[in-house]
Amino acid sequence: MKSFWKYVLATVVGMIIVSVIFLFTTVSTIIGLAGAQSTKTSVEKNSVLVINLSGSIEERTEDNPLATLLSGSIAETQSLSNILKAIEHAKDDDNIKGIYIEAGTLVGAAPATLQEIRRALVDFKKSKKFIISYGDMYTQGAYYLCSVSDSLIVNPQGIIDWHGLSMQTRFYKDLLDKVGVSMQVFKVGTYKSAVEPFLLNEMSSANREQLTLVSSELWQTITKDVSKSRGISVERLNQLADTFMAFTQPENYIKEKLADRMAYSDAVPQTICNMIEGVDSQEDYHTISVSDLASISSSKPKGTSGNVIALYYAFGDIVQESSQSIPGYNSEHEIIGKTTVKELQELCDNDDVKAVVIRVNSGGGSAYASEQIWHAIHQLKAKKPVVVSMGDYAASGGYYISCAADWIVAQPTTITGSIGIFGLFPEADELMNKKLGIHVSTVKTNAHSDLGQSMARAFTADEAAIVQNYVDNGYQLFTERCATSRNKPIGDILKIAEGRIWTGQHALTLGLVDQLGTINDAIGVAKKRAGIDEYSIKEYPAETSFLDDLLNDSKGGSYADAQLKATLGEYYEMFSQMRSLTNHTGIQARLPYSISFNF
């Protein structure tokens, strides 16, 4: 028996030692990965900025070397902020001779993000430096960017996907009927279509009307941009889209001027050499990545005036409390009401900050949180200029918070408006009582003590009237906020509200935005309104380090989400919407649950 316990003890000790060694090795590896940041401090002579168009693009991203280590198959998520910084730096740095764009499978980027990058590339060409692009496969979004190139090269067996634009909404009514769940809906606005997926099996006529107009306006902007760069008429571009160019023979891309020539990837280095004076071989020039150049740009001194223009990023769902604490739910990005209000107050009190540019990219969310953020921005602009730069979406709650600014800059392809709110409450009487055999008995002191406390029964007529009245009041407040902030009669706002979405181009004519342009245009407005000549840009909220995220349990779902996204592909969006359903109940100011761009 003593020998037995001796061996057991030895085994346990051995396991502990191995575990400690494994833990030490893992932590050392993680620290090494986290510390493996770019060591570049300057740009070498005869450099070329390389932009790889693959994966997805978001407003800002944080480095996660652990995720890369665990699964290199996950498509890279790139930072719009870094891409813009790199292009701007490349324009002014004499050591950078041009840009090489490697087209790939660019997914999930909405038109306004791509237009922001495209305008930066067009501005870059003012430097008389070259842009070359090559692709085995140009998705339509990637082609939209690459169409600015001086030389657009396609593989002899490659594809240029040019097919037009479509917008899709998924509907879940039949699914909910099958499981015995129905949605109790309270809304204001004929066009407030966010609730439709739970009530219908296809678009309402009002929703189809607005999406038809929006998709048409977006496509007009895209075709005009490509027409100007490639010298192809808009009419011909539409004719080519109708033939679905992805399935044509590659030589037709040259014939139709969509591309300049066909070549394999090994021809690219010599093409670059030919564009740089005094460079004869690949060894004579250097390449630099977006992240490296953005890092160099960020590390450069930004002036000595002490004046700061704060660039505050507000993107994702608008929520009052972080959803990270909700079991089974993880949202990659959120605009958390309490946190945002606190951070805006800090910018208000910071005397070095002379103006604030708020970058809004949100389809909305909590009506209550939107009102709190609106109030914080309203207080902020009483002390210093506030300019909003709209991204892909600044709609519903996203417009609610935007309208409080002194000035609003949108892209022509921004989705905005959607001034309306709704309440969504699930009722599962059939599922619980009939299918699962779960029954609920209630004791209450007053008529509505259990209002909204149980999904096991539907609202009574009196309860429904109470909720609808609350929604009506919320809509009245929303429209009043818009009217006051935009200095318009309430009647004018009511005519263009009703939950209807608009493109940025259309919103300009309606007076919902003040100017069409980029983030840099918004910064220029802020500078002018602040009355300053010299300034530095400082981004907020401050990005957390990888190690901070690793030690923060609230970030734990991000890697799992990345795995799900890679595995489910186009079905991830539907999965994410259904998973977040319980988190989005209550009074909401948000876009339709799913507007999916086939771009």
Side-chain angles (χ1 to χ4, degrees), residues 356-360 374 377 381 386-391 393-395 398-411 414-417 419 481-482 485-488 504 507-508 511-518 521-523 525-526 529:
V356 179
V357 174
I358 304 177
R359 174 67 173 183
V360 177
W374 177 91
I377 295 175
K381 77 173 182 179
V386 179
V387 179
V388 159
S389 168
M390 290 181 167
Y393 306 96
Y399 187 77
Y400 200 138
I401 66 177
S402 297
C403 73
D406 294 298
W407 194 262
I408 300 175
V409 181
Q411 288 284 7
T414 294
I415 301 296
T416 188
I419 301 170
R481 294 304 192 211
C482 293
S485 300
R486 299 300 299 167
N487 195 27
K488 286 181 173 294
L508 179 65
L512 291 175
V513 306
D514 299 294
Q515 178 183 337
L516 299 179
T518 64
D521 291 325
I523 292 172
V525 172
R529 285 178 168 262

Side-chain angles (χ1 to χ4, degrees), residues 116 148 172 192 287 412 544:
E116 189 87 32
V148 305
Y172 308 113
K192 197 62 183 176
T287 60
T544 57

Side-chain angles (χ1 to χ4, degrees), residues 20 109 149 152 168 195 225 275-276 300 326 455 465 493 495 524-525 547:
V20 170
S149 301
L152 195 153
Q168 298 175 336
V195 297
D225 286 346
M275 303 295 288
I276 305 176
K300 289 182 62 179
I326 299 175
M455 294 192 301
I493 294 296
K495 290 176 184 177
V525 172
L547 284 178

Side-chain angles (χ1 to χ4, degrees), residues 317-320 364-371 397 400 587-590:
D317 287 348
I318 299 176
V319 296
Q320 182 60 12
S366 165
Y368 178 81
S370 299
E371 163 67 13
Y400 200 138
I587 308 304
Q588 299 284 305
R590 69 169 58 243

Side-chain angles (χ1 to χ4, degrees), residues 188-469:
V188 181
T190 303
Y191 296 92
K192 197 62 183 176
S193 54
V195 297
E196 287 187 1
F198 308 104
L199 303 177
L200 306 173
N201 285 322
E202 60 180 16
M203 292 181 191
S204 66
S205 58
N207 192 25
R208 185 172 294 277
E209 174 193 349
Q210 70 174 343
L211 291 185
T212 298
L213 177 62
V214 166
S215 60
S216 175
E217 290 179 351
L218 294 177
W219 184 241
Q220 286 174 18
T221 299
I222 292 163
T223 52
K224 285 180 182 178
D225 286 346
V226 174
S227 173
K228 185 175 181 179
S229 293
R230 297 300 304 171
I232 310 171
S233 70
V234 170
E235 180 183 10
R236 185 55 183 162
L237 285 171
N238 277 303
Q239 291 171 349
L240 295 174
D242 287 339
T243 67
F244 204 90
M245 291 298 287
F247 292 161
T248 193
Q249 293 299 311
E251 52 265 25
N252 288 330
Y253 301 136
I254 311 300
K255 177 183 176 182
E256 297 292 348
K257 299 195 294 184
L258 290 174
D260 295 301
R261 68 189 183 100
M262 293 186 293
Y264 291 96
S265 59
D266 57 9
V268 171
Q270 187 57 51
T271 303
I272 293 175
C273 289
N274 295 341
M275 303 295 288
I276 305 176
E277 185 178 354
V279 170
D280 298 319
S281 68
Q282 187 173 353
E283 289 73 25
D284 295 331
Y285 72 86
H286 307 275
T287 60
I288 186 167
S289 69
V290 164
S291 58
D292 281 346
L293 189 55
S295 177
I296 292 172
S297 177
S298 297
S299 65
K300 289 182 62 179
K302 301 299 182 182
T304 58
S305 67
N307 297 328
V308 172
I309 294 180
L311 178 55
Y312 185 91
Y313 285 89
F315 61 107
D317 287 348
I318 299 176
V319 296
Q320 182 60 12
E321 302 275 359
S322 174
S323 67
Q324 306 296 343
S325 60
I326 299 175
Y329 181 80
N330 179 269
S331 178
E332 293 180 75
H333 303 292
E334 291 176 325
I335 304 170
I336 303 170
K338 287 186 175 181
T339 303
T340 301
V341 167
K342 179 183 176 182
E343 290 168 343
L344 292 176
Q345 288 172 342
E346 290 172 352
L347 292 178
C348 185
D349 296 335
N350 187 336
D351 292 335
D352 290 335
V353 174
K354 306 304 181 184
V356 179
V357 174
I358 304 177
R359 174 67 173 183
V360 177
N361 196 341
S362 173
S366 165
Y368 178 81
S370 299
E371 163 67 13
Q372 307 313 304
I373 297 171
W374 177 91
H375 177 68
I377 295 175
H378 189 71
Q379 287 186 311
L380 176 62
K381 77 173 182 179
K383 192 170 181 179
K384 56 194 68 176
V386 179
V387 179
V388 159
S389 168
M390 290 181 167
D392 296 322
Y393 306 96
S396 202
Y399 187 77
Y400 200 138
I401 66 177
S402 297
C403 73
D406 294 298
W407 194 262
I408 300 175
V409 181
Q411 288 284 7
T413 49
T414 294
I415 301 296
T416 188
S418 192
I419 301 170
I421 68 173
F422 66 91
L424 187 67
F425 301 88
E427 181 265 303
D429 173 72
E430 182 180 350
L431 173 64
M432 295 180 68
N433 295 323
K434 298 178 181 179
K435 294 189 176 184
L436 298 179
I438 299 174
H439 306 285
V440 177
S441 292
T442 303
V443 174
K444 55 186 179 180
T445 61
N446 297 89
H448 308 300
S449 297
D450 62 337
L451 175 61
Q453 297 300 308
S454 173
M455 294 192 301
R457 69 169 182 86
F459 288 169
T460 66
D462 286 346
E463 290 170 339
I466 290 171
V467 177
Q468 184 62 55
N469 183 63

Side-chain angles (χ1 to χ4, degrees), residues 47-50 90 95-100 124 129-131 276:
S47 287
V48 176
L49 170 63
V50 178
N95 286 329
I96 295 181
K97 304 304 180 182
I99 293 176
Y100 167 53
F124 170 84
K129 300 177 183 182
F130 67 84
I131 300 178
I276 305 176

